[in-house]
mmCIF file of all heavy atoms in Angstrom:
data_model
loop_
_atom_site.group_PDB
_atom_site.id
_atom_site.type_symbol
_atom_site.label_atom_id
_atom_site.label_comp_id
_atom_site.label_asym_id
_atom_site.label_seq_id
_atom_site.Cartn_x
_atom_site.Cartn_y
_atom_site.Cartn_z
ATOM 1 N N ALA A 6 15.488 -14.998 67.053
ATOM 2 C CA ALA A 6 15.722 -16.419 66.762
ATOM 3 C C ALA A 6 14.413 -17.127 66.438
ATOM 4 O O ALA A 6 14.361 -17.989 65.555
ATOM 5 C CB ALA A 6 16.406 -17.096 67.944
ATOM 6 N N PHE A 7 13.353 -16.757 67.122
ATOM 7 C CA PHE A 7 12.039 -17.356 66.895
ATOM 8 C C PHE A 7 11.557 -17.072 65.472
ATOM 9 O O PHE A 7 11.097 -17.970 64.771
ATOM 10 C CB PHE A 7 11.055 -16.798 67.925
ATOM 11 C CG PHE A 7 9.682 -17.380 67.860
ATOM 12 C CD1 PHE A 7 9.438 -18.677 68.307
ATOM 13 C CD2 PHE A 7 8.626 -16.638 67.363
ATOM 14 C CE1 PHE A 7 8.158 -19.219 68.259
ATOM 15 C CE2 PHE A 7 7.345 -17.163 67.314
ATOM 16 C CZ PHE A 7 7.113 -18.465 67.761
ATOM 17 N N ASN A 8 11.680 -15.820 65.024
ATOM 18 C CA ASN A 8 11.252 -15.465 63.676
ATOM 19 C C ASN A 8 12.111 -16.133 62.613
ATOM 20 O O ASN A 8 11.608 -16.552 61.571
ATOM 21 C CB ASN A 8 11.240 -13.957 63.488
ATOM 22 C CG ASN A 8 10.062 -13.307 64.167
ATOM 23 O OD1 ASN A 8 9.094 -13.964 64.517
ATOM 24 N ND2 ASN A 8 10.143 -12.012 64.361
ATOM 25 N N THR A 9 13.412 -16.250 62.851
ATOM 26 C CA THR A 9 14.290 -16.933 61.906
ATOM 27 C C THR A 9 13.895 -18.404 61.796
ATOM 28 O O THR A 9 13.814 -18.961 60.692
ATOM 29 C CB THR A 9 15.758 -16.784 62.330
ATOM 30 O OG1 THR A 9 16.086 -15.383 62.337
ATOM 31 C CG2 THR A 9 16.690 -17.524 61.398
ATOM 32 N N HIS A 10 13.617 -19.032 62.922
ATOM 33 C CA HIS A 10 13.174 -20.428 62.928
ATOM 34 C C HIS A 10 11.835 -20.568 62.199
ATOM 35 O O HIS A 10 11.651 -21.470 61.379
ATOM 36 C CB HIS A 10 13.053 -20.934 64.367
ATOM 37 C CG HIS A 10 12.474 -22.302 64.473
ATOM 38 N ND1 HIS A 10 13.161 -23.431 64.081
ATOM 39 C CD2 HIS A 10 11.263 -22.720 64.900
ATOM 40 C CE1 HIS A 10 12.398 -24.489 64.275
ATOM 41 N NE2 HIS A 10 11.239 -24.086 64.768
ATOM 42 N N ASN A 11 10.898 -19.669 62.465
ATOM 43 C CA ASN A 11 9.589 -19.732 61.805
ATOM 44 C C ASN A 11 9.712 -19.541 60.296
ATOM 45 O O ASN A 11 8.989 -20.186 59.533
ATOM 46 C CB ASN A 11 8.634 -18.691 62.394
ATOM 47 C CG ASN A 11 8.060 -19.150 63.702
ATOM 48 O OD1 ASN A 11 8.055 -20.334 64.015
ATOM 49 N ND2 ASN A 11 7.569 -18.213 64.479
ATOM 50 N N LEU A 12 10.600 -18.678 59.851
ATOM 51 C CA LEU A 12 10.787 -18.489 58.418
ATOM 52 C C LEU A 12 11.268 -19.785 57.778
ATOM 53 O O LEU A 12 10.795 -20.174 56.705
ATOM 54 C CB LEU A 12 11.767 -17.354 58.140
ATOM 55 C CG LEU A 12 12.062 -17.093 56.667
ATOM 56 C CD1 LEU A 12 10.786 -16.822 55.876
ATOM 57 C CD2 LEU A 12 13.036 -15.938 56.526
ATOM 58 N N SER A 13 12.160 -20.484 58.441
ATOM 59 C CA SER A 13 12.620 -21.773 57.932
ATOM 60 C C SER A 13 11.454 -22.758 57.806
ATOM 61 O O SER A 13 11.328 -23.455 56.801
ATOM 62 C CB SER A 13 13.700 -22.342 58.856
ATOM 63 O OG SER A 13 14.074 -23.625 58.431
ATOM 64 N N LEU A 14 10.606 -22.789 58.810
ATOM 65 C CA LEU A 14 9.438 -23.676 58.764
ATOM 66 C C LEU A 14 8.496 -23.282 57.625
ATOM 67 O O LEU A 14 7.984 -24.153 56.907
ATOM 68 C CB LEU A 14 8.683 -23.635 60.096
ATOM 69 C CG LEU A 14 9.399 -24.211 61.312
ATOM 70 C CD1 LEU A 14 8.574 -23.958 62.571
ATOM 71 C CD2 LEU A 14 9.675 -25.689 61.127
ATOM 72 N N LEU A 15 8.259 -21.979 57.462
ATOM 73 C CA LEU A 15 7.367 -21.519 56.401
ATOM 74 C C LEU A 15 7.909 -21.854 55.016
ATOM 75 O O LEU A 15 7.159 -22.239 54.121
ATOM 76 C CB LEU A 15 7.140 -20.009 56.516
ATOM 77 C CG LEU A 15 6.271 -19.552 57.677
ATOM 78 C CD1 LEU A 15 6.372 -18.040 57.844
ATOM 79 C CD2 LEU A 15 4.830 -19.975 57.458
ATOM 80 N N ARG A 16 9.205 -21.718 54.837
ATOM 81 C CA ARG A 16 9.810 -22.026 53.532
ATOM 82 C C ARG A 16 9.635 -23.499 53.173
ATOM 83 O O ARG A 16 9.558 -23.842 51.993
ATOM 84 C CB ARG A 16 11.295 -21.674 53.548
ATOM 85 C CG ARG A 16 11.572 -20.201 53.464
ATOM 86 C CD ARG A 16 13.051 -19.940 53.562
ATOM 87 N NE ARG A 16 13.365 -18.527 53.371
ATOM 88 C CZ ARG A 16 14.515 -17.977 53.734
ATOM 89 N NH1 ARG A 16 15.441 -18.714 54.333
ATOM 90 N NH2 ARG A 16 14.724 -16.705 53.513
ATOM 91 N N ASN A 17 9.611 -24.356 54.170
ATOM 92 C CA ASN A 17 9.519 -25.799 53.925
ATOM 93 C C ASN A 17 8.103 -26.348 54.002
ATOM 94 O O ASN A 17 7.889 -27.523 53.741
ATOM 95 C CB ASN A 17 10.424 -26.548 54.911
ATOM 96 C CG ASN A 17 11.881 -26.267 54.657
ATOM 97 O OD1 ASN A 17 12.359 -26.434 53.547
ATOM 98 N ND2 ASN A 17 12.591 -25.813 55.668
ATOM 99 N N ALA A 18 7.150 -25.514 54.334
ATOM 100 C CA ALA A 18 5.766 -25.980 54.482
ATOM 101 C C ALA A 18 5.101 -26.110 53.115
ATOM 102 O O ALA A 18 5.261 -25.260 52.249
ATOM 103 C CB ALA A 18 4.969 -25.007 55.349
ATOM 104 N N ALA A 19 4.331 -27.162 52.950
ATOM 105 C CA ALA A 19 3.548 -27.333 51.725
ATOM 106 C C ALA A 19 2.168 -26.696 51.891
ATOM 107 O O ALA A 19 1.586 -26.210 50.932
ATOM 108 C CB ALA A 19 3.400 -28.814 51.397
ATOM 109 N N THR A 20 1.665 -26.687 53.113
ATOM 110 C CA THR A 20 0.323 -26.168 53.385
ATOM 111 C C THR A 20 0.312 -25.466 54.733
ATOM 112 O O THR A 20 0.934 -25.930 55.681
ATOM 113 C CB THR A 20 -0.706 -27.319 53.426
ATOM 114 O OG1 THR A 20 -0.653 -28.023 52.190
ATOM 115 C CG2 THR A 20 -2.108 -26.797 53.655
ATOM 116 N N LEU A 21 -0.405 -24.346 54.828
ATOM 117 C CA LEU A 21 -0.636 -23.668 56.094
ATOM 118 C C LEU A 21 -2.130 -23.679 56.362
ATOM 119 O O LEU A 21 -2.923 -23.426 55.460
ATOM 120 C CB LEU A 21 -0.160 -22.212 56.041
ATOM 121 C CG LEU A 21 1.323 -21.984 55.837
ATOM 122 C CD1 LEU A 21 1.608 -20.497 55.687
ATOM 123 C CD2 LEU A 21 2.114 -22.552 56.991
ATOM 124 N N VAL A 22 -2.505 -23.969 57.593
ATOM 125 C CA VAL A 22 -3.917 -24.002 57.971
ATOM 126 C C VAL A 22 -4.134 -22.954 59.058
ATOM 127 O O VAL A 22 -3.464 -22.980 60.088
ATOM 128 C CB VAL A 22 -4.330 -25.398 58.488
ATOM 129 C CG1 VAL A 22 -5.780 -25.403 58.917
ATOM 130 C CG2 VAL A 22 -4.074 -26.455 57.423
ATOM 131 N N TYR A 23 -5.050 -22.034 58.809
ATOM 132 C CA TYR A 23 -5.363 -20.970 59.754
ATOM 133 C C TYR A 23 -6.782 -21.149 60.272
ATOM 134 O O TYR A 23 -7.661 -21.590 59.530
ATOM 135 C CB TYR A 23 -5.284 -19.594 59.080
ATOM 136 C CG TYR A 23 -3.895 -19.162 58.700
ATOM 137 C CD1 TYR A 23 -3.427 -19.328 57.410
ATOM 138 C CD2 TYR A 23 -3.064 -18.579 59.637
ATOM 139 C CE1 TYR A 23 -2.157 -18.917 57.052
ATOM 140 C CE2 TYR A 23 -1.793 -18.163 59.293
ATOM 141 C CZ TYR A 23 -1.350 -18.337 58.002
ATOM 142 O OH TYR A 23 -0.095 -17.925 57.657
ATOM 143 N N GLY A 24 -7.010 -20.762 61.517
ATOM 144 C CA GLY A 24 -8.352 -20.764 62.072
ATOM 145 C C GLY A 24 -9.134 -19.553 61.593
ATOM 146 O O GLY A 24 -8.566 -18.497 61.312
ATOM 147 N N SER A 25 -10.426 -19.688 61.503
ATOM 148 C CA SER A 25 -11.249 -18.615 60.947
ATOM 149 C C SER A 25 -11.309 -17.374 61.838
ATOM 150 O O SER A 25 -11.503 -16.272 61.350
ATOM 151 C CB SER A 25 -12.663 -19.114 60.682
ATOM 152 O OG SER A 25 -13.289 -19.480 61.896
ATOM 153 N N THR A 26 -11.118 -17.515 63.129
ATOM 154 C CA THR A 26 -11.152 -16.339 64.000
ATOM 155 C C THR A 26 -9.762 -15.709 64.139
ATOM 156 O O THR A 26 -9.643 -14.526 64.434
ATOM 157 C CB THR A 26 -11.691 -16.681 65.402
ATOM 158 O OG1 THR A 26 -10.868 -17.694 65.978
ATOM 159 C CG2 THR A 26 -13.127 -17.170 65.314
ATOM 160 N N TRP A 27 -8.740 -16.460 63.933
ATOM 161 C CA TRP A 27 -7.368 -15.974 64.073
ATOM 162 C C TRP A 27 -6.886 -15.278 62.807
ATOM 163 O O TRP A 27 -6.156 -14.294 62.868
ATOM 164 C CB TRP A 27 -6.461 -17.158 64.405
ATOM 165 C CG TRP A 27 -5.016 -16.814 64.535
ATOM 166 C CD1 TRP A 27 -4.407 -16.295 65.636
ATOM 167 C CD2 TRP A 27 -4.008 -16.940 63.534
ATOM 168 N NE1 TRP A 27 -3.065 -16.106 65.379
ATOM 169 C CE2 TRP A 27 -2.802 -16.506 64.096
ATOM 170 C CE3 TRP A 27 -4.005 -17.391 62.233
ATOM 171 C CZ2 TRP A 27 -1.611 -16.501 63.400
ATOM 172 C CZ3 TRP A 27 -2.813 -17.386 61.536
ATOM 173 C CH2 TRP A 27 -1.640 -16.941 62.124
ATOM 174 N N PHE A 28 -7.308 -15.748 61.658
ATOM 175 C CA PHE A 28 -6.779 -15.268 60.385
ATOM 176 C C PHE A 28 -6.971 -13.772 60.143
ATOM 177 O O PHE A 28 -6.018 -13.098 59.749
ATOM 178 C CB PHE A 28 -7.368 -16.073 59.220
ATOM 179 C CG PHE A 28 -6.831 -15.655 57.894
ATOM 180 C CD1 PHE A 28 -5.584 -16.085 57.470
ATOM 181 C CD2 PHE A 28 -7.554 -14.812 57.073
ATOM 182 C CE1 PHE A 28 -5.075 -15.692 56.245
ATOM 183 C CE2 PHE A 28 -7.051 -14.410 55.848
ATOM 184 C CZ PHE A 28 -5.812 -14.854 55.439
ATOM 185 N N PRO A 29 -8.169 -13.188 60.333
ATOM 186 C CA PRO A 29 -8.339 -11.760 60.010
ATOM 187 C C PRO A 29 -7.378 -10.829 60.760
ATOM 188 O O PRO A 29 -6.805 -9.919 60.162
ATOM 189 C CB PRO A 29 -9.792 -11.473 60.389
ATOM 190 C CG PRO A 29 -10.468 -12.795 60.288
ATOM 191 C CD PRO A 29 -9.442 -13.795 60.741
ATOM 192 N N ASP A 30 -7.178 -11.055 62.051
ATOM 193 C CA ASP A 30 -6.255 -10.209 62.810
ATOM 194 C C ASP A 30 -4.815 -10.402 62.342
ATOM 195 O O ASP A 30 -4.051 -9.448 62.212
ATOM 196 C CB ASP A 30 -6.362 -10.501 64.306
ATOM 197 C CG ASP A 30 -7.652 -9.982 64.904
ATOM 198 O OD1 ASP A 30 -8.245 -9.040 64.326
ATOM 199 O OD2 ASP A 30 -8.079 -10.519 65.940
ATOM 200 N N ASN A 31 -4.443 -11.648 62.107
ATOM 201 C CA ASN A 31 -3.100 -11.935 61.630
ATOM 202 C C ASN A 31 -2.878 -11.329 60.248
ATOM 203 O O ASN A 31 -1.819 -10.782 59.963
ATOM 204 C CB ASN A 31 -2.866 -13.448 61.598
ATOM 205 C CG ASN A 31 -1.417 -13.792 61.383
ATOM 206 O OD1 ASN A 31 -0.538 -13.286 62.064
ATOM 207 N ND2 ASN A 31 -1.170 -14.646 60.421
ATOM 208 N N TRP A 32 -3.868 -11.400 59.394
ATOM 209 C CA TRP A 32 -3.771 -10.835 58.043
ATOM 210 C C TRP A 32 -3.497 -9.331 58.112
ATOM 211 O O TRP A 32 -2.612 -8.822 57.423
ATOM 212 C CB TRP A 32 -5.062 -11.109 57.278
ATOM 213 C CG TRP A 32 -5.069 -10.493 55.910
ATOM 214 C CD1 TRP A 32 -5.677 -9.336 55.544
ATOM 215 C CD2 TRP A 32 -4.390 -10.971 54.756
ATOM 216 N NE1 TRP A 32 -5.446 -9.075 54.225
ATOM 217 C CE2 TRP A 32 -4.648 -10.061 53.720
ATOM 218 C CE3 TRP A 32 -3.590 -12.073 54.502
ATOM 219 C CZ2 TRP A 32 -4.137 -10.237 52.437
ATOM 220 C CZ3 TRP A 32 -3.089 -12.231 53.226
ATOM 221 C CH2 TRP A 32 -3.360 -11.332 52.223
#
Side-chain angles (χ1 to χ4, degrees):
F7 183 73
N8 285 343
T9 299
H10 174 71
N11 281 340
L12 179 56
S13 175
L14 293 174
L15 288 168
R16 285 177 175 162
N17 293 306
T20 303
L21 296 175
V22 178
Y23 291 98
S25 64
T26 58
W27 178 82
F28 182 79
D30 288 336
N31 192 50
W32 177 260

